[in-house]
Amino acid sequence: QQQVKQSPQSLIVQKGGIPIINCAYENTAFDYFPWYQQFPGKGPALLIAIRPDVSEKKEGRFTISFNKSAKQFSLHIMDSQPGDSATYFCAARHGSSNTGKLIFGQGTTLQVKP
Amino acid sequence: ETGVTQSPTHLIKTRGQQVTLRCSSQSGHNTVSWYQQALGQGPQFIFQYYREEENGRGNFPPRFSGLQFPNYSSELNVNALELDDSALYLCASSLNPGGTDTQYFGPGTRLTVL
């Protein structure tokens, strides 16, 4: 129940394509869902985050879609660029928890070809 | 504003040894969380420190311990190292321990146990 399952494990798209990364969870106590981007040799950096009272959130070329009834959420990257090549992690947190513990998915390695 | 820094960058130890990893939090942040990221996996929560006290712990044995100092920097200590402890160790700082405060990650310390 503490898991966040992420797919696919890896993804290759052409420049301008729209890669989609999916995550699913079981624990309905999760109420905050961030996405992190990690480049080789760097720590994860927050991209965008959503609360379950919203079905979609956009920030620049990044969009999160959230389906509360299905307990699924996904990241879409519009007009993808070679510089978007990185590993992406979804995560979940108990919003009411006093620890802020993040539970991460397994990660998706994205390659955007020029 | 200085970001989260970690030292050392890389470390090689042998099984049974002890190691200390260090983290300086972002300016103004009083909370530090530590994560272990095995190769090809998402980060896993080890524990969190808030105002010099442990404030939550993940599923890690007691040989993983930590400290937080009055300036909010932090140490992660691992005793009796095992081969499976080989991983990237990430620290993340935030303004507060809970809620939806963004966790800002450092670049990590790569630990190899031989």
Side-chain angles (χ1 to χ4, degrees):
Chain A
Q1 264 215 333
Q2 288 294 317
Q3 281 187 321
V4 176
K5 294 184 179 178
Q6 183 172 346
S7 63
Q9 189 173 356
S10 63
L11 196 50
I12 301 174
V13 299
Q14 293 293 134
K15 178 183 173 181
I18 305 176
I20 300 172
I21 304 170
N22 301 298
C23 286
Y25 64 98
E26 289 295 324
N27 193 335
T28 55
F30 292 152
D31 69 351
Y32 174 68
F33 302 89
W35 283 89
Y36 280 80
Q37 179 189 55
Q38 186 175 27
F39 292 105
K42 304 285 187 182
L46 179 67
L47 258 184
I48 184 172
I50 198 168
R51 300 287 300 256
D53 52 350
V54 175
S55 61
E56 185 176 277
K57 184 175 181 180
K58 291 183 182 180
E59 283 188 7
R61 296 184 293 107
F62 300 94
T63 299
I64 301 178
S65 298
F66 193 91
N67 185 330
K68 186 174 180 179
S69 60
K71 292 184 281 188
Q72 295 175 348
F73 58 110
S74 59
L75 176 70
H76 301 229
I77 305 176
M78 307 302 177
D79 187 28
S80 59
Q81 302 295 314
D84 296 329
S85 297
T87 300
Y88 293 81
F89 293 95
C90 61
R93 180 197 289 185
H94 283 261
S96 59
S97 165
N98 68 345
T99 68
K101 167 185 174 181
L102 285 172
I103 296 167
F104 285 85
Q106 298 91 328
T108 297
T109 302
L110 171 66
Q111 182 183 357
V112 181
K113 292 190 170 182
Chain B
E1 185 178 275
T2 308
V4 178
T5 60
Q6 292 186 243
S7 63
T9 306
H10 296 90
L11 204 50
I12 299 174
K13 292 285 188 179
T14 55
R15 198 168 47 180
Q17 284 189 312
Q18 177 266 343
V19 69
T20 297
L21 311 181
R22 295 179 176 81
C23 171
S24 291
S25 58
Q26 190 163 312
S27 177
H29 289 186
N30 59 24
T31 302
V32 172
S33 303
W34 285 93
Y35 292 82
Q36 180 195 65
Q37 185 177 17
L39 200 61
Q41 300 295 317
Q44 287 198 354
F45 179 79
I46 303 174
F47 45 55
Q48 183 185 80
Y49 277 83
Y50 170 58
R51 294 186 175 178
E52 303 179 57
E53 298 286 333
E54 186 179 290
N55 184 52
R57 189 177 183 92
N59 189 25
F60 281 81
R63 59 189 185 84
F64 286 78
S65 63
L67 282 174
Q68 188 178 33
F69 300 99
N71 66 354
Y72 302 130
S73 65
S74 178
E75 285 183 355
L76 164 65
N77 299 290
V78 187
N79 293 321
L81 283 167
E82 301 177 359
L83 297 178
D84 284 350
D85 296 333
S86 295
L88 181 69
Y89 288 85
L90 296 162
C91 78
S93 75
S94 55
L95 275 173
N96 293 294
T100 58
D101 281 17
T102 300
Q103 293 188 12
Y104 295 88
F105 284 83
T109 293
R110 172 73 61 188
L111 172 65
T112 302
V113 182
L114 302 176

